[in-house]
Amino acid sequence: QKEVEQNSGPLSVPEGAIASLNCTYSDRGSQSFFWYRQYSGKSPELIMFIYSNGDKEDGRFTAQLNKASQYVSLLIRDSQPSDSATYLCAVSNTGNQFYFGTGTSLTVIP
Amino acid sequence: DAMVIQNPRYQVTQFGKPVTLSCSQTLNHNVMYWYQQKSSQAPKLLFHYYDKDFNNEADTPDNFQSRRPNTSFCFLDIRSPGLGDAAMYLCATSRGMRASGRTDTQYFGPGTRLTVL
């Protein structure tokens, strides 16, 4: 399977701070990029998707994509304790397959 | 509400005893996926269907089979479960790839936790 790499963490940030999550991928043919949040024992839920180079903002979340560097990131502003979860990066090529990283565990400290 | 449903939520089976996990969707999506996720690991794609077109990942063991009898339902059959097959099994759906080459979002069911005794 194609490689998707994430720093497993754990990443700890104080409440109200910015959390920065990073992801690199190996397949240069990848076209579609997703961030999912997964709480312990639950299934992944979509936070954001991004297709084009640059930034995409949705509320407190900003996804950043740099295809030349094969790098995608997620910024969470004004982090809340409820943001504490594992964040999964997923990458899709042109064949409908999705490949996931192992996730970064985020803890927001009140 | 449109959704992805998995049954059962928890399944216990014995070593070597065949088991079937079920997934259904009301989203009318073309693509259905099965993933295996072990603790602290990435979801691992086992296979996916685009409509009735089956796509197997190269490293999916032969012990895992799948059926999609219609648009709404997809089944995962584990022919002879081993202890190493204990995991969360996730079903997901998607509209699939657009003409642009970009892939639409996946939506996950709640998962089935499989225990092998």
Side-chain angles (χ1 to χ4, degrees), chain A residues 7 28 46 75:
Chain A
N7 186 332
R28 285 197 170 273
L46 180 73
L75 299 178

Side-chain angles (χ1 to χ4, degrees), chain B residues 6 9-10 13 21 31 40 48 93 103 105:
Chain B
Q6 290 188 245
R9 296 289 309 278
Y10 301 90
T13 191
L21 309 182
V31 192
S40 301
H48 73 278
T93 72
T103 309
T105 305

Side-chain angles (χ1 to χ4, degrees), chain A residues 92-98, chain B residues 3-4 23-35 45 47-55 57 66 68 70-74 90-98 102-109:
Chain A
S92 182
N93 56 16
T94 56
N96 286 314
Q97 292 106 322
F98 282 69
Chain B
M3 57 198 313
V4 183
C23 178
S24 64
Q25 56 135 340
T26 60
L27 297 160
N28 203 33
H29 283 170
N30 297 108
V31 192
M32 295 187 78
Y33 302 83
W34 280 106
Y35 289 88
L45 181 62
F47 22 62
H48 73 278
Y49 278 93
Y50 187 93
D51 292 328
K52 283 197 171 282
D53 184 22
F54 177 71
N55 297 272
E57 291 297 300
S66 184
R68 188 179 186 185
N70 54 52
T71 301
S72 300
F73 284 87
C74 195
L90 297 164
C91 174
T93 72
S94 168
R95 291 187 189 90
M97 192 177 66
R98 306 175 185 174
R102 296 168 174 174
T103 309
D104 247 345
T105 305
Q106 281 188 322
Y107 297 89
F108 282 87

